[in-house]
């Protein structure tokens, strides 16, 4: 609790830095929208970020491990125990893995949910990513050459890229900080479970901060009943599909969406990353790393920075929610992946294996 208090205090006292940076990002974006045409704007808001650093690091790590026959065999067989044994025999690969986890260990899907388990805690999840990246060749699309505009416009582009790149660095640091907090709360959960206050260490994530940090928590036998009640509430809400915007008054459940009423062939979107691509669709209702890449176009409702490893494996993106500065849009532009955003109900309208063509410049989706 003391460690968490220090972490919380030292970060929150400096959180204004991220807010000021975001202010500059949005200000310069607004300026560029007025100064540049759409095509030049798309280039201007493309910049190098930590996302492609992660993709390159994953690719390098997977290739290095695959050259060691015995080590790679443990990866393919999901043998965590033997993996640790073989890893100790190769200090070079071991150090490369440590560097990756030190930098990107906190980055995975749903990373800002403390109850999530990522590659830093579940080695088999790391194996799943490494297998797919064994033969992957990253192809960064970003070109640092200047654009043919006036000095003032180039200056505005430079300022935007500076603060936007910093924004992505802050996001990564935030992910790793959540990872620290996650480990602290899991340990608190372990202590509460050992004291028979809750049944399992992960049950701590059904409690509120004041309930966990209460000095009397280790003796509060009522926490178990609170956890069970909230588990029932969570199970109920998991079955509800909500609209993108809603109002809830006094805890009343908002009106739910009925996917059966959708017009199956009508899709509209907005441009996010230039280029045109046609191919098979794979719908991801939640993040999962596929055992093989049997699709070209990824379709999902929304992403977070933890989806980077999956986005890089796609040749096109259709995203229901987000904007031109959402993480999926940023990664797509940097890697040269055509993408469209704002594709309402795409997850329910499209189905796996369906052939679709998207134009990331025009923001159109065509079902073939």
């Amino acid at each position: 609790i003391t460690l968490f208090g220090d972490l919380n205090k030292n970060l929150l006292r400096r959180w204004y830095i991220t807010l000021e940076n975001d202010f500059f990002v949005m200000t310069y974006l607004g300026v560029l929208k007025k100064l540049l045409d759409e095509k030049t704007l798309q280039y201007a808001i493309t910049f190098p970020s930590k996302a492609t650093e992660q993709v390159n690091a994953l690719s390098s790590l997977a290739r290095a491990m695959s050259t060691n026959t015995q080590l790679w065999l443990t990866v393919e067989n999901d043998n965590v125990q033997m993996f640790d044994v073989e890893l100790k025999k190769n200090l070079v690969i071991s150090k490369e893995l440590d560097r990756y986890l030190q930098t990107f260990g906190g980055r995975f899907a749903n990373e800002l949910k403390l109850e999530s388990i990522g590659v830093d805690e579940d080695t088999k999840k790391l194996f799943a990513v490494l297998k797919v990246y064994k033969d992957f060749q990253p192809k960064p699309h970003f070109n640092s050459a200047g654009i043919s505009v006036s000095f003032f416009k180039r200056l505005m582009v430079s300022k935007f890229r500076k603060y936007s790149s910093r924004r992505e660095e802050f996001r990564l640091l935030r992910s790793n900080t959540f990872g620290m907090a996650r480990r602290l709360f899991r340990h608190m959960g372990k202590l509460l479970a050992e004291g028979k206050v809750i049944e399992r260490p992960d049950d701590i994530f059904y409690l509120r901060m004041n309930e966990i940090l209460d000095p009397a928590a280790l003796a509060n036998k009522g926490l178990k009943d609170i956890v069970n009640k909230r588990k029932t509430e969570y199970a109920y809400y998991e079955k509800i599909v909500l609209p993108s915007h809603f109002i809830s008054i006094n805890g009343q459940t908002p009106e739910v969406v009925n996917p059966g009423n959708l017009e199956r062939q009508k899709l509209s979107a907005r441009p996010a990353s230039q280029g045109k691509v046609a191919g098979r669709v794979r719908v991801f209702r939640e993040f999962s790393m596929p055992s093989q890449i049997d699709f070209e176009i990824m379709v999902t409702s929304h992403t977070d920075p933890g989806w980077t490893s999956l986005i890089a494996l796609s040749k096109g993106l259709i995203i229901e929610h987000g904007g031109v500065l959402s993480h999926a849009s940023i990664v797509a532009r940097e890697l040269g992946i055509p993408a469209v955003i704002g594709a309402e109900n795409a997850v329910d309208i499209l189905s796996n294996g369906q052939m679709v063509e998207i134009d990331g410049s025009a923001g159109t989706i065509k079902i073939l």
Side-chain angles (χ1 to χ4, degrees):
I1 289 174
T2 302
L3 283 171
F4 173 72
D6 290 342
L7 189 67
N8 204 23
K9 176 183 175 182
N10 290 328
L11 277 178
L12 288 181
R13 286 179 62 184
R14 294 167 175 80
W15 203 255
Y16 65 88
I17 296 173
T18 64
L19 301 180
E20 288 176 354
N21 191 79
D22 279 358
F23 170 79
F24 284 118
V25 171
M26 301 312 297
T27 299
Y28 283 114
L29 176 63
V31 171
L32 291 177
K33 283 183 174 179
K34 293 181 179 179
L35 293 177
L36 305 176
D37 59 77
E38 184 62 33
K39 184 177 180 180
T40 309
L41 177 65
Q42 282 287 323
Y43 173 81
I45 61 177
T46 303
F47 55 90
S49 72
K50 287 292 182 181
T52 48
E53 285 186 31
Q54 181 185 8
V55 171
N56 292 333
L58 264 177
S59 179
S60 173
L61 184 61
R63 286 198 305 271
M65 287 189 179
S66 65
T67 60
N68 187 309
T69 305
Q70 293 302 316
L71 179 63
W72 190 250
L73 194 61
T74 65
V75 174
E76 290 186 327
N77 295 330
D78 289 336
N79 191 330
V80 177
Q81 185 176 1
M82 287 306 300
F83 173 77
D84 292 336
V85 172
E86 293 296 329
L87 191 61
K88 290 177 182 178
K89 299 177 183 178
N90 194 316
L91 293 180
V92 175
I93 295 178
S94 179
K95 287 181 179 179
E96 187 173 351
L97 176 59
D98 287 343
R99 280 196 301 271
Y100 176 81
L101 293 177
Q102 181 73 23
T103 307
F104 300 107
R107 172 141 289 179
F108 51 85
N110 297 318
E111 59 194 22
L112 299 188
K113 292 183 178 181
L114 291 181
E115 68 271 23
S116 301
I117 299 177
V119 297
D120 58 338
E121 295 180 275
D122 187 343
T123 307
K124 288 187 177 181
K125 286 189 174 183
L126 176 64
F127 289 167
V129 180
L130 290 172
K131 290 174 191 176
V132 179
Y133 269 80
K134 173 176 175 286
D135 300 315
F136 177 76
Q137 293 293 332
K139 299 177 181 178
H141 178 71
F142 176 73
N143 184 351
S144 59
I147 53 179
S148 182
V149 293
S150 67
F151 171 78
F152 177 73
K153 292 179 181 179
R154 286 200 307 274
L155 179 62
M156 294 299 101
V157 170
S158 175
K159 292 288 187 181
F160 170 81
R161 287 176 174 173
K162 170 187 173 181
Y163 291 109
S164 295
S165 182
R166 186 178 291 172
R167 178 173 178 246
E168 292 305 301
E169 291 181 22
F170 287 159
R171 282 178 167 181
L172 178 59
L173 292 172
R174 178 188 62 185
S175 301
N176 288 333
T177 303
F178 267 69
M180 298 178 200
R182 182 179 292 107
R183 287 189 288 275
L184 288 172
F185 278 108
R186 285 198 191 283
H187 189 69
M188 293 183 207
K190 180 182 177 183
L191 295 176
L192 291 175
E194 289 174 351
K196 308 297 183 182
V197 175
I198 57 178
E199 292 181 5
R200 301 183 307 109
D202 280 3
D203 285 350
I204 193 171
F205 297 117
Y206 288 95
L207 298 175
R208 294 178 178 145
M209 291 286 292
N210 64 307
E211 295 164 342
I212 297 169
L213 303 181
D214 186 345
L218 281 169
N220 188 352
K221 301 299 181 181
L223 292 181
K224 194 175 293 187
D225 292 334
I226 293 174
V227 167
N228 290 333
K229 177 184 177 183
R230 288 178 185 158
K231 283 184 177 180
T232 302
E233 292 176 354
Y234 268 65
Y236 168 73
Y237 283 113
E238 277 183 343
K239 300 173 184 177
I240 294 178
V241 180
L242 295 174
S244 60
H245 300 77
F246 61 86
I247 296 175
S248 178
I249 301 175
N250 296 326
Q252 181 181 5
T253 303
E255 183 179 349
V256 300
V257 174
N258 181 6
N261 294 334
L262 301 174
E263 295 182 69
R264 309 274 330 157
Q265 297 299 318
K266 292 185 178 180
L267 273 172
S268 60
R270 302 189 306 276
S273 177
Q274 293 184 18
K276 185 181 292 186
V277 65
R280 293 163 297 175
V281 158
R282 174 77 175 267
V283 177
F284 290 86
R285 293 185 178 274
E286 59 184 24
F287 179 90
S288 64
M289 184 57 66
S291 57
Q292 60 179 352
I293 308 304
D294 55 358
F295 66 96
E296 284 77 40
I297 299 174
M298 183 183 87
V299 182
T300 190
S301 61
H302 62 277
T303 69
D304 60 40
W307 287 59
T308 298
S309 57
L310 180 57
I311 291 172
L313 299 171
S314 308
K315 295 181 180 178
L317 304 178
I318 299 176
I319 313 291
E320 288 187 347
H321 306 291
V324 294
L325 290 185
S326 64
H327 193 77
S329 299
I330 291 170
V331 175
R333 286 193 298 271
E334 190 179 358
L335 295 178
I337 301 171
V340 295
I341 53 175
E344 189 175 356
N345 301 321
V347 166
D348 293 305
I349 293 175
L350 299 174
S351 55
N352 291 337
Q354 195 168 9
M355 294 296 294
V356 168
E357 179 184 89
I358 66 172
D359 187 334
S361 302
T364 57
I365 304 171
K366 181 181 180 181
I367 299 176
L368 303 176

